[in-house]
Amino acid sequence: MTCQNMSNAAQELAQQFVTRYWREDLSLPKHERLRLAFASSIADGFWRSGMRLPTEAELAHTTPCSLGTIQRALRELAADGLIERRRGSGSVVADLTGKLADPWHIRYIRSRSPRTEYFALHTRVLSRRQIRSVGRWSEVLGQNKESVTRVDRLFTVDGRIDIYAEFFALSSRFPEFMSRPMASMDGLNFKKMIGDRYHAPTHRVHQTLRFQPTPAHVAEVCGMPAGGMSPVLNVVSYPLSGEPIYMQDFYLPLDAGELDLGFAIRLI
């Protein structure tokens, strides 16, 4: 195959991508529309892990976007963890098997010698929805009358330990949790995404541990005994100053091993 043929094939694939995923009806800046087009196409399997994406020049030729707009969208996709930008080989789709990088809260210790190592952690989104009901999150987040986005995830440690997690954040503050394709949220580091996309980095967390009857939906997903008790790790994220960013509840199994909390906790 000649270089010209390869270029034509790449252009054709880029054109198919634009035809299927570019949305003219969205009232978003072009870099956001291009980022969402790639996120949707990756979630659909149009672009698979390890595939090279069109070059910036190819995208400039096939999309209604300037080179600067394309570069911004690609930078944001890299920050989201959906692609990797490799010098000399362009942008490729990242491995989206759900492995979570740099976890803060669910770090089960594998070994302490010669340095502390942790078991691999994967996450999968189970559901998401906007809620207006009042709960533990309401006072923490200052909910008032607005809606809260709730994302339920399954954290799997070392391929064998299942932990149910419930994430809460104000919908108006972080709308991307409802707008982005759910498949692209598997393995997504929510803390990092909020810091990168919304310029709201976490500077400290407050952690508490409580014990409560295991909810039926948690017991069913994680295979916990019905009617049993669960330790629940509650985590509230704070910026350097200002209102809390998000709240999470982690339903911990009793026999999962040693969890490195990294911060002082208070039993309640």
Side-chain angles (χ1 to χ4, degrees), residues 60-95:
H61 181 75
T62 54
T63 70
C65 299
S66 67
L67 185 60
T69 296
I70 292 165
Q71 291 171 339
R72 180 173 179 180
L74 293 175
R75 285 196 302 269
E76 292 177 353
L77 286 163
D80 289 341
L82 292 180
I83 69 170
E84 298 174 359
R85 305 192 74 185
R86 298 174 180 174
R87 182 173 299 178
S89 59
S91 298
V92 299
V93 180
D95 181 3

Side-chain angles (χ1 to χ4, degrees), residues 18-36:
V18 173
T19 300
R20 290 176 58 178
Y21 294 100
W22 178 260
R23 297 276 302 277
E24 287 288 358
D25 59 326
L26 294 178
S27 58
L28 293 172
K30 285 185 177 179
H31 75 275
E32 285 285 353
R33 278 186 273 173
L34 184 58
R35 186 182 66 81
L36 288 175

Side-chain angles (χ1 to χ4, degrees), residues 146-165:
E146 66 179 299
S147 65
V148 166
T149 296
R150 170 175 168 170
V151 182
D152 286 23
R153 293 186 289 174
L154 186 66
F155 283 58
T156 301
V157 182
D158 193 35
R160 58 186 175 84
I161 304 167
D162 287 335
I163 298 170
Y164 200 101

Side-chain angles (χ1 to χ4, degrees), residues 105-165:
H105 313 303
I106 305 303
R107 301 184 299 174
Y108 280 92
I109 297 173
R110 176 195 294 270
S111 171
R112 292 186 180 275
S113 178
R115 60 183 178 82
T116 303
E117 296 181 350
Y118 303 100
F119 286 111
L121 180 65
H122 293 73
T123 70
R124 177 167 58 91
V125 173
L126 302 173
S127 65
R128 65 177 175 187
R129 59 190 182 276
Q130 288 183 319
I131 57 176
R132 293 187 179 275
S133 57
V134 175
R136 290 176 51 85
W137 57 86
S138 300
E139 184 176 356
V140 172
L141 299 176
Q143 180 181 5
N144 295 321
K145 295 182 179 180
E146 66 179 299
S147 65
V148 166
T149 296
R150 170 175 168 170
V151 182
D152 286 23
R153 293 186 289 174
L154 186 66
F155 283 58
T156 301
V157 182
D158 193 35
R160 58 186 175 84
I161 304 167
D162 287 335
I163 298 170
Y164 200 101

